[in-house]
Amino acid sequence: MYNLLKGKKGIIFGALDQNSIAWKVAERAHEEGAEFVLTNAPIALRMGQLKELAEKTGSEIIPADATSMEDLTNLVEKSMEILGGKLDFVLHSIGMSVNVRKGRAYTDPKYDFTTKGWDVSAVSFHKTMNVLYNKEAMNEWGSIVALTYMAAQRVFPDYNDMADNKAFLESIARSFGYFFGRDQNVRVNTISQSPTPTTAGQGVKGFDGFISYAEKMSPLGNATALECADYTISLFSDLTKKVTMQNLFHDGGFSNVGVSDAVMERFTEE
């Protein structure tokens, strides 16, 4: 390893099990010398295997509902207490659509579900940065990263209102990133990852089709969860100190391809 995060401290949201990108980020951050606190919603802690990850990385777990300002304030304060100072990095790896879970079509959602999805998937990022910013909890040149998906820019019908949630998330990153950069020299970016077979991703209808199509469209193929973790580590490191307010595509080139030979072959008659 490269000791890219030696001496750095942070918070990692959203690790659930070994399929989670956040889980891979935690493993890689630990390998690169970082110390961090792990957090997830109380219900996710009961469902997942976070204790195993905490033991492996020597980390403490602080349960937090990311939609609760009270929980987030407690999380940030206790994390600084545990880690012995301000933070250098934060990963927001949270997303949820009740409409998707309940099988509601995009054209006929239940709007209470829509509001819940916004709050969990996007507004929680604003709330997290609100607490970090107002408590001046980030060290100078710190890095905040959220995970997103290209459905924020293009239509993937079965991604449903998660596409709107991700577009909202990316806008928050740009807007809050301006103030965090101007006032505290802190970076804020989003990573637009290839479709990845995480526990959450597999809940989207037709997800296997997403993965197969993207693989055929991407000249380098789909990026794995571990490769996304590596990219995230680079954004946490001092090697990317002037990268901020960006939506960074980590998708094997998919985002710049109109059509690929592999896809054309499927529709071309012999």
Side-chain angles (χ1 to χ4, degrees), residues 171-204:
S171 180
I172 289 168
R174 285 188 296 271
S175 297
F176 221 128
Y178 171 79
F179 295 102
F180 241 138
R182 183 195 69 183
D183 298 337
Q184 299 180 21
N185 282 341
V186 171
R187 299 164 278 161
V188 181
N189 294 289
T190 53
I191 296 175
S192 186
Q193 166 70 357
S194 297
T196 309
T198 61
T199 301
Q202 290 173 15
V204 177

Side-chain angles (χ1 to χ4, degrees), residues 3-268:
N3 283 325
L4 288 175
L5 304 184
K6 187 175 182 179
K8 293 192 181 295
K9 308 171 190 299
I11 300 173
I12 296 176
F13 285 78
L16 182 67
D17 56 35
Q18 293 183 9
N19 294 319
S20 306
I21 293 173
W23 185 291
K24 304 294 186 188
V25 171
E27 290 179 326
R28 288 291 294 112
H30 176 65
E31 290 167 357
E32 293 294 342
E35 297 177 71
F36 47 84
V37 164
L38 297 165
T39 186
N40 212 324
I43 188 171
L45 297 182
R46 293 195 295 272
M47 295 169 52
Q49 300 143 21
L50 201 57
K51 286 184 180 178
E52 176 188 332
L53 180 63
E55 290 172 4
K56 181 177 182 180
T57 60
S59 304
E60 292 198 35
I61 300 170
I62 301 176
D65 175 352
T67 68
S68 163
M69 291 294 289
E70 182 180 355
D71 279 15
L72 291 170
T73 299
N74 178 66
L75 170 66
V76 170
E77 289 176 348
K78 285 197 172 179
S79 294
M80 288 194 291
E81 182 180 321
I82 290 166
L83 298 170
K86 292 187 177 185
L87 309 172
D88 299 290
F89 63 87
V90 174
L91 176 68
H92 180 281
S93 181
I94 304 171
M96 186 272 291
S97 167
V98 186
N99 282 311
V100 169
R101 288 184 180 178
K102 299 292 186 180
R104 301 291 299 236
Y106 184 80
T107 51
D108 187 27
K110 185 173 180 181
Y111 289 107
D112 287 348
F113 293 169
T114 303
T115 302
K116 182 65 174 176
W118 284 349
D119 201 14
V120 172
S121 304
V123 180
S124 66
F125 191 40
H126 195 288
K127 291 176 178 177
T128 299
M129 288 194 285
N130 178 331
V131 175
L132 293 167
Y133 177 90
N134 286 300
K135 288 194 168 293
E136 297 185 359
M138 299 293 296
N139 277 318
E140 194 173 31
W141 304 112
S143 177
I144 302 170
V145 174
L147 300 181
T148 185
Y149 181 55
M150 195 179 172
Q153 286 82 33
R154 299 186 188 176
V155 175
F156 292 82
D158 290 327
Y159 204 64
N160 206 306
D161 62 350
M162 274 303 299
D164 301 334
N165 297 340
K166 292 300 189 184
F168 195 179
L169 177 80
E170 292 174 18
S171 180
I172 289 168
R174 285 188 296 271
S175 297
F176 221 128
Y178 171 79
F179 295 102
F180 241 138
R182 183 195 69 183
D183 298 337
Q184 299 180 21
N185 282 341
V186 171
R187 299 164 278 161
V188 181
N189 294 289
T190 53
I191 296 175
S192 186
Q193 166 70 357
S194 297
T196 309
T198 61
T199 301
Q202 290 173 15
V204 177
K205 180 183 174 184
F207 197 73
D208 288 345
F210 276 11
I211 292 175
S212 179
Y213 173 70
E215 180 72 24
K216 290 183 180 298
M217 281 284 286
S218 307
L220 295 180
N222 289 333
T224 66
L226 180 57
E227 288 166 337
C228 185
D230 285 336
Y231 192 38
T232 305
I233 296 301
S234 76
L235 290 174
F236 288 165
S237 79
D238 292 336
L239 300 178
T240 51
K241 286 172 70 171
K242 292 298 176 69
V243 179
T244 195
M245 299 167 61
Q246 302 300 311
N247 181 46
L248 300 161
F249 290 100
H250 185 252
D251 60 9
F254 176 88
S255 49
N256 275 326
V257 175
V259 69
S260 68
D261 294 331
V263 169
M264 284 297 294
E265 287 170 7
R266 296 286 302 270
F267 296 97
T268 303

